[in-house]
CSV table of all heavy atoms in Angstrom, one decimal:
chain,number,residue,atom,x,y,z
A,1019,ARG,N,211.2,152.7,15.8
A,1019,ARG,CA,210.7,154.0,16.2
A,1019,ARG,C,210.6,154.1,17.7
A,1019,ARG,O,210.7,155.2,18.3
A,1019,ARG,CB,209.2,154.1,15.6
A,1019,ARG,CG,208.4,155.3,16.1
A,1019,ARG,CD,209.1,156.6,15.8
A,1019,ARG,NE,209.1,156.9,14.4
A,1019,ARG,CZ,209.8,157.9,13.8
A,1019,ARG,NH1,210.6,158.7,14.6
A,1019,ARG,NH2,209.8,158.1,12.5
A,1022,SER,N,213.7,156.0,18.7
A,1022,SER,CA,214.1,157.2,17.9
A,1022,SER,C,214.0,158.4,18.8
A,1022,SER,O,213.3,158.4,19.8
A,1022,SER,CB,213.1,157.3,16.7
A,1022,SER,OG,211.8,157.6,17.2
A,1024,GLU,N,212.4,161.2,18.4
A,1024,GLU,CA,211.1,161.7,18.5
A,1024,GLU,C,210.2,160.9,19.4
A,1024,GLU,O,209.3,161.5,20.0
A,1024,GLU,CB,210.4,161.7,17.1
A,1024,GLU,CG,211.1,162.5,16.0
A,1024,GLU,CD,212.3,161.8,15.4
A,1024,GLU,OE1,212.5,160.6,15.7
A,1024,GLU,OE2,213.0,162.4,14.6
A,1025,PHE,N,210.5,159.7,19.6
A,1025,PHE,CA,209.7,158.8,20.5
A,1025,PHE,C,210.2,158.7,21.9
A,1025,PHE,O,209.6,158.1,22.8
A,1025,PHE,CB,209.7,157.4,19.8
A,1025,PHE,CG,208.4,156.6,20.1
A,1025,PHE,CD1,207.4,156.7,19.2
A,1025,PHE,CD2,208.3,155.7,21.2
A,1025,PHE,CE1,206.2,155.9,19.5
A,1025,PHE,CE2,207.2,155.0,21.4
A,1025,PHE,CZ,206.1,155.1,20.6
A,1028,VAL,N,208.0,159.6,25.0
A,1028,VAL,CA,207.0,158.6,25.3
A,1028,VAL,C,207.6,157.3,25.9
A,1028,VAL,O,207.1,156.8,26.9
A,1028,VAL,CB,206.2,158.2,24.0
A,1028,VAL,CG1,205.1,157.2,24.3
A,1028,VAL,CG2,205.6,159.5,23.4
A,1106,ASP,N,198.1,157.3,22.7
A,1106,ASP,CA,197.8,158.3,21.8
A,1106,ASP,C,199.1,159.2,21.5
A,1106,ASP,O,199.3,159.6,20.3
A,1106,ASP,CB,196.7,159.2,22.3
A,1106,ASP,CG,195.3,158.6,22.0
A,1106,ASP,OD1,195.0,158.3,20.8
A,1106,ASP,OD2,194.6,158.5,23.0
A,1107,ASP,N,199.9,159.4,22.5
A,1107,ASP,CA,201.2,160.2,22.2
A,1107,ASP,C,202.0,159.4,21.3
A,1107,ASP,O,202.6,160.0,20.4
A,1107,ASP,CB,201.9,160.4,23.6
A,1107,ASP,CG,201.2,161.3,24.5
A,1107,ASP,OD1,200.3,162.0,24.1
A,1107,ASP,OD2,201.5,161.2,25.7
A,1108,ALA,N,202.1,158.1,21.4
A,1108,ALA,CA,202.9,157.2,20.5
A,1108,ALA,C,202.3,157.3,19.1
A,1108,ALA,O,203.1,157.5,18.1
A,1108,ALA,CB,202.9,155.8,21.0
A,1109,ALA,N,201.0,157.2,19.0
A,1109,ALA,CA,200.4,157.2,17.7
A,1109,ALA,C,200.6,158.6,17.0
A,1109,ALA,O,200.9,158.6,15.8
A,1109,ALA,CB,198.9,156.9,17.8
A,1110,GLU,N,200.6,159.6,17.7
A,1110,GLU,CA,200.7,161.0,17.2
A,1110,GLU,C,202.2,161.1,16.6
A,1110,GLU,O,202.3,161.8,15.5
A,1110,GLU,CB,200.5,162.0,18.2
A,1110,GLU,CG,199.0,162.2,18.5
A,1110,GLU,CD,198.7,163.2,19.7
A,1110,GLU,OE1,199.7,163.8,20.1
A,1110,GLU,OE2,197.6,163.3,20.1
A,1111,VAL,N,203.2,160.6,17.3
A,1111,VAL,CA,204.5,160.7,16.8
A,1111,VAL,C,204.7,160.0,15.5
A,1111,VAL,O,205.3,160.5,14.5
A,1111,VAL,CB,205.5,160.1,17.8
A,1111,VAL,CG1,206.9,160.0,17.2
A,1111,VAL,CG2,205.6,161.0,19.1
A,1112,ILE,N,204.1,158.8,15.4
A,1112,ILE,CA,204.3,158.0,14.2
A,1112,ILE,C,203.5,158.7,13.0
A,1112,ILE,O,204.0,158.8,11.9
A,1112,ILE,CB,203.7,156.6,14.4
A,1112,ILE,CG1,204.6,155.9,15.4
A,1112,ILE,CG2,203.7,155.8,13.1
A,1112,ILE,CD1,204.1,154.6,15.9
A,1113,GLU,N,202.3,159.1,13.3
A,1113,GLU,CA,201.5,159.8,12.2
A,1113,GLU,C,202.2,161.1,11.7
A,1113,GLU,O,202.3,161.3,10.5
A,1113,GLU,CB,200.1,160.1,12.8
A,1113,GLU,CG,199.3,158.9,13.1
A,1113,GLU,CD,198.1,159.2,14.0
A,1113,GLU,OE1,198.0,160.4,14.4
A,1113,GLU,OE2,197.3,158.3,14.2
A,1114,ARG,N,202.7,161.8,12.7
A,1114,ARG,CA,203.4,163.1,12.3
A,1114,ARG,C,204.7,162.9,11.5
A,1114,ARG,O,205.0,163.5,10.5
A,1114,ARG,CB,203.6,163.9,13.5
A,1114,ARG,CG,204.3,165.3,13.2
A,1114,ARG,CD,204.5,166.1,14.5
A,1114,ARG,NE,205.5,165.5,15.4
A,1114,ARG,CZ,205.2,164.9,16.6
A,1114,ARG,NH1,203.9,164.8,17.0
A,1114,ARG,NH2,206.1,164.4,17.3
A,1115,GLU,N,205.5,161.9,12.0
A,1115,GLU,CA,206.9,161.7,11.5
A,1115,GLU,C,206.9,160.8,10.2
A,1115,GLU,O,207.6,161.1,9.3
A,1115,GLU,CB,207.8,161.1,12.5
A,1115,GLU,CG,208.0,162.0,13.8
A,1115,GLU,CD,208.7,163.3,13.5
A,1115,GLU,OE1,209.5,163.3,12.5
A,1115,GLU,OE2,208.4,164.3,14.2
A,1116,ASP,N,206.0,159.8,10.2
A,1116,ASP,CA,206.1,158.8,9.1
A,1116,ASP,C,205.0,159.0,8.1
A,1116,ASP,O,205.1,158.4,7.0
A,1116,ASP,CB,206.0,157.4,9.7
A,1116,ASP,CG,207.2,157.1,10.6
A,1116,ASP,OD1,208.3,157.7,10.4
A,1116,ASP,OD2,207.1,156.3,11.6
A,1117,TYR,N,203.9,159.7,8.4
A,1117,TYR,CA,202.8,159.8,7.4
A,1117,TYR,C,202.3,161.3,7.4
A,1117,TYR,O,201.2,161.5,7.7
A,1117,TYR,CB,201.7,158.9,7.8
A,1117,TYR,CG,202.1,157.4,7.9
A,1117,TYR,CD1,202.5,156.9,9.1
A,1117,TYR,CD2,202.0,156.6,6.8
A,1117,TYR,CE1,202.9,155.5,9.1
A,1117,TYR,CE2,202.4,155.3,6.8
A,1117,TYR,CZ,202.9,154.8,8.0
A,1117,TYR,OH,203.3,153.4,8.1
Side-chain angles (χ1 to χ4, degrees):
R1019 175 58 70 188
S1022 68
E1024 298 82 5
F1025 211 88
V1028 180
D1106 278 306
D1107 293 342
E1110 287 174 8
V1111 170
I1112 294 169
E1113 292 163 356
R1114 182 179 66 249
E1115 298 295 329
D1116 298 332
Y1117 301 91

